[in-house]
């Protein structure tokens, strides 16, 4: 299985009281909860693509964390992954570390970046049934006003009609998914699980009048 998750921010205790308001008593409780949720889902040989900001901790702390996380790990570098600059961190724990990547996932392409990309490679590609063939997975913005702006952009884009090269009129696709860890209760999810999670979250926002 391949899973995705963004912005765990292990060791970043301020997120309990600022921006995310995660609500844990302290960083130890937060780390322990996230670790349990991760390992309850991920097995030893599963792949986990971390879409940036894995750890706010020092190199030694992050090495200890990496030794406890299940799975074969891949890191899309985030702006807060400061441990990468320390020569003492355990680079061997990652299959690769990159700022950007494009992978195949069950006959679909996934565009992977810590930062949201509004106009991403393959955005217009659909299969014969009109289903998306490409998804853009990102993090960075957590559940902030920036994320609300991205959702507004997607609504505008999806409501825009243009002619394709064959002269057929179609709405413009915009299949961007924020894989923010709090959206999945800190659990890494498959692409299909993230598609469902994103759809349910948006439906709730619409019902609440937030979109």
């Amino acid at each position: 299985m391949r899973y995705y998750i963004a912005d765990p921010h292990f060791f970043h205790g301020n997120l309990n009281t600022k921006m995310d308001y995660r609500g844990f008593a302290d960083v130890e409780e937060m780390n322990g909860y996230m670790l349990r949720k991760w390992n309850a889902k991920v097995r030893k040989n599963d792949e986990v693509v971390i879409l940036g900001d894995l750890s706010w901790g020092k190199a030694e702390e992050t090495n200890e964390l990496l030794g406890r996380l299940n799975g074969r790990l891949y890191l899309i570098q985030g702006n807060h992954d400061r441990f990468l600059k320390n020569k003492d961190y355990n680079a061997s724990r990652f299959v690769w570390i990159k700022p950007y990547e494009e992978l195949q996932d069950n006959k679909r392409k996934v565009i992977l970046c810590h930062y949201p990309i509004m106009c991403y490679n393959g955005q217009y590609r659909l299969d014969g049934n009109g289903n998306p063939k490409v998804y853009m997975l990102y993090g960075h913005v957590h559940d902030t006003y920036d994320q609300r702006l991205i959702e507004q952009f997607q609504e505008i884009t999806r409501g825009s009609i243009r002619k394709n090269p064959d002269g057929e009129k179609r709405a413009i696709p915009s299949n961007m998914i924020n894989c923010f860890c709090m959206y999945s209760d800190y659990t890494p999810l498959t692409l299909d699980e993230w598609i469902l999670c994103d759809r349910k979250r948006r439906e709730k926002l619409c019902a609440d009048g937030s979109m």
Side-chain angles (χ1 to χ4, degrees):
M1 300 294 292
R2 180 188 294 158
Y3 301 109
Y4 307 89
I5 194 166
D7 299 292
H9 283 260
F10 282 94
F11 301 101
H12 200 166
N14 281 346
L15 292 183
N16 287 315
T17 56
K18 298 177 181 178
M19 192 164 77
D20 289 352
Y21 300 99
R22 296 189 178 188
F24 297 102
D26 51 37
V27 72
E28 289 77 18
E29 182 179 282
M30 181 181 74
N31 286 351
Y33 184 82
M34 292 196 295
L35 183 63
R36 289 192 298 273
K37 296 293 288 189
W38 183 300
N39 286 341
K41 182 70 174 282
V42 180
R43 296 167 297 183
K44 179 180 178 180
N45 292 321
D46 290 335
E47 297 180 335
V48 184
V49 179
I50 304 153
L51 290 158
D53 290 0
L54 168 67
S55 172
W56 185 256
K58 298 177 182 178
E60 297 80 6
E61 294 172 320
T62 303
N63 286 341
E64 193 272 338
L65 168 70
L66 289 169
R68 298 176 66 190
L69 292 174
N70 288 348
R72 301 176 66 236
L73 307 182
Y74 302 75
L75 180 62
I76 296 292
Q77 185 173 349
N79 56 305
H80 285 146
D81 289 317
R82 301 178 300 176
F83 65 92
L84 296 176
K85 298 179 181 179
N86 192 310
K87 61 180 178 58
D88 294 325
Y89 90 94
N90 185 8
S92 66
R93 189 64 182 85
F94 297 103
V95 178
W96 50 247
I97 301 170
K98 300 179 181 181
Y100 175 95
E101 183 58 285
E102 299 181 7
L103 298 176
Q104 292 295 319
D105 190 315
N106 292 326
K107 298 181 180 180
R108 295 159 297 184
K109 177 183 282 190
V110 286
I111 309 299
L112 304 169
C113 186
H114 181 58
Y115 309 101
I117 300 175
M118 304 299 204
C119 300
Y120 53 91
N121 185 25
Q123 176 178 345
Y124 287 83
R125 295 182 61 196
L126 304 173
D127 65 18
N129 296 317
N131 298 313
K133 294 183 71 174
V134 182
Y135 289 86
M136 197 280 126
L137 307 185
Y138 65 94
H140 185 59
V141 294
H142 296 227
D143 188 39
T144 61
Y145 185 67
D146 288 338
Q147 174 60 20
R148 301 289 86 77
L149 292 175
I150 292 168
E151 290 160 357
Q152 290 178 34
F153 170 84
Q154 288 186 273
E155 289 299 309
I156 294 169
T157 302
R158 291 169 175 172
S160 301
I161 307 299
R162 68 183 296 274
K163 287 184 179 181
N164 65 18
D166 297 326
E168 180 183 3
K169 290 184 178 180
R170 283 189 176 181
I172 300 175
S174 182
N175 295 294
M176 303 167 61
I177 297 177
N178 183 359
C179 297
F180 178 40
C181 62
M182 289 185 71
Y183 289 163
S184 64
D185 193 18
Y186 307 96
T187 301
L189 301 180
T190 66
L191 175 58
D192 286 317
E193 288 171 335
W194 272 116
I195 292 169
L196 180 60
C197 178
D198 184 68
R199 182 184 305 138
K200 289 182 176 179
R201 185 182 64 80
R202 289 170 183 271
E203 289 172 353
K204 185 177 186 302
L205 285 174
C206 288
D208 293 342
S210 301
M211 283 183 61

